[in-house]
Amino acid sequence: MDALPEPVREPAAGALDPRVELSEFLRTRRARLKPQDVGLLEFGRRRRVPGLRREELAQLAGVSVAYYTRLEQGDGRNVSAEVLDSIARALRLSEAEHAHLTHLAKPKHKQPGAHGQQVRGTLRTLLDAMDGVPAIVVGRRSDILAWNQLAAAVFGDWAELPAQERNWARLVFLRPEFRDLIVDWQQKAIDTVSQLHMDAGSHPDDPQLSALVGELSVKSEEFRRLWATHNVKEKCHGIQRLRHPLVGDLDLRLESFHPADDHEQQLLTYHAEQGSPSAEALRLLASWGTDATQAGMGTSPAGRDR
């Protein structure tokens, strides 16, 4: 006898709806695949939809069309991990996309802690000890939780900004000076939205995240367009090119690390190749101390209240 389906759980007030997110994510992943990408033959008649049809995807995944259609309509009740694995393979999802699909189909509905996100004191001490390397701790919703003085000299000091404004997504999309600072602003915007989508999949009941997405969608056409793509990504490393108002071009290598006791936080470090012009520029910024943060990105004077 088949098990009774679980009741549909309504999203909490002010939260993103994981059913809508699941539906749009699957639809956009299916639309990006062409029949020839997965070894299917093209027939002469014109295709009415971009990418694969639902029945083609269902065939590739080894599930019924009705089953897949129900899932793409946002109904992930009783879907097994094995079926999700098959669909992920059929859609050729990346590891991050596969994890996102699982979160959307089988949401855990974790309520955010009332006390907010906390950075351990020893981690703050580590930031301060990294004299020659800009370093930042970022949490959920792309919130900037802590940083060292050299990070403030490079990116602008956020000490006197309201806590809700210390957020990478708000900085990237709403503050014009960051368009001037970040050389490849478009790629940074894509990465920021992709990581925010990952967070939305893991925390569908977070009203602060829903409010952030709503605010940015209203205030930024670019954010609204990128959010609709439903791309997801966990950026772990790469090159960050900046055009600093005091020292000019900076080519920095980004690395990220998760603290052992909190996978939802990331320590981001930006280092320059030894002996390079960028390394000399960082040395200059470090030697100028608070003068660099005050003259840098037009934010508040340097402070230590993080």
Side-chain angles (χ1 to χ4, degrees):
M1 180 176 178
D2 292 337
L4 292 175
E6 298 175 3
V8 175
R9 188 183 191 280
E10 294 297 324
L16 295 167
D17 190 338
R19 294 170 300 182
V20 174
E21 295 295 311
L22 173 61
S23 176
E24 289 298 302
F25 179 69
L26 285 172
R27 183 186 60 79
T28 54
R29 297 314 89 178
R30 179 168 58 85
R32 74 182 180 181
L33 285 177
K34 297 182 177 63
Q36 55 266 36
D37 294 336
V38 293
L40 296 178
L41 295 177
E42 276 271 35
F43 296 100
R45 65 189 180 93
R46 183 178 178 183
R47 302 180 70 87
R48 292 180 296 174
V49 295
L52 296 181
R53 301 184 182 96
R54 283 176 175 171
E55 56 266 29
E56 292 170 334
L57 196 285
Q59 179 183 2
L60 287 169
V63 299
S64 71
V65 177
Y67 189 102
Y68 176 76
T69 299
R70 187 169 67 248
L71 185 63
E72 193 174 290
Q73 289 173 343
D75 185 356
R77 291 174 295 171
N78 297 328
V79 64
S80 68
E82 291 76 16
V83 168
L84 290 177
D85 290 346
S86 296
I87 291 173
R89 285 193 297 270
L91 288 170
R92 299 195 171 185
L93 300 186
S94 67
E95 184 177 340
E97 290 172 328
H98 191 168
H100 186 60
L101 173 62
T102 302
H103 290 149
L104 292 176
K106 304 172 80 67
K108 295 183 179 180
H109 299 285
K110 297 177 288 186
Q111 288 289 351
H115 61 279
Q117 303 178 82
Q118 304 294 323
V119 179
R120 282 188 287 110
T122 51
L123 188 52
R124 292 179 182 272
T125 301
L126 175 62
L127 289 180
D128 291 335
M130 300 171 72
D131 290 335
V133 177
I136 304 168
V137 176
V138 178
R140 289 191 292 107
R141 301 181 296 269
S142 71
D143 286 343
I144 299 168
L145 306 179
W147 59 93
N148 62 11
Q149 185 169 305
L150 190 52
V154 171
F155 295 102
D157 189 44
W158 307 299
E160 293 184 5
L161 287 177
Q164 66 271 20
E165 296 299 322
R166 301 173 192 167
N167 177 278
W168 267 124
R170 282 197 174 95
L171 294 171
V172 168
F173 287 97
L174 301 183
R175 295 183 72 91
E177 61 267 30
F178 270 76
R179 288 179 182 265
D180 298 330
L181 174 68
I182 300 170
V183 173
D184 192 351
W185 180 90
Q186 184 65 33
Q187 187 59 55
K188 180 65 175 179
I190 291 171
D191 291 343
T192 300
V193 174
S194 297
Q195 292 163 58
L196 211 56
H197 255 306
M198 287 286 291
D199 201 21
S202 300
H203 297 276
D205 287 344
D206 187 347
Q208 290 178 271
L209 176 57
S210 181
L212 174 64
V213 170
E215 177 190 352
L216 294 175
S217 296
V218 169
K219 294 181 178 179
S220 171
E221 180 180 350
E222 287 126 326
F223 178 87
R224 190 164 59 249
R225 175 179 57 80
L226 290 172
W227 185 258
T229 66
H230 288 266
N231 290 332
V232 294
K233 182 180 181 181
E234 277 193 307
K235 188 171 180 63
C236 300
H237 57 84
I239 300 295
Q240 183 72 80
R241 293 186 171 89
L242 307 173
R243 186 162 293 121
H244 195 276
L246 293 182
V247 296
D249 291 347
L250 290 169
D251 284 1
L252 304 178
R253 297 185 180 275
L254 167 64
E255 298 287 346
S256 63
F257 311 89
H258 289 288
D261 59 343
D262 193 341
H263 192 74
E264 293 181 337
Q265 291 184 11
Q266 281 187 306
L267 170 62
L268 307 181
T269 64
Y270 301 81
H271 70 276
E273 185 177 346
Q274 190 172 4
S276 67
S278 295
E280 175 61 18
L282 286 181
R283 189 191 65 77
L284 283 173
L285 287 174
S287 69
W288 291 336
T290 56
D291 290 340
T293 63
Q294 292 171 2
M297 298 308 303
T299 55
S300 58
R304 307 304 280 178
D305 181 15
R306 298 188 290 256

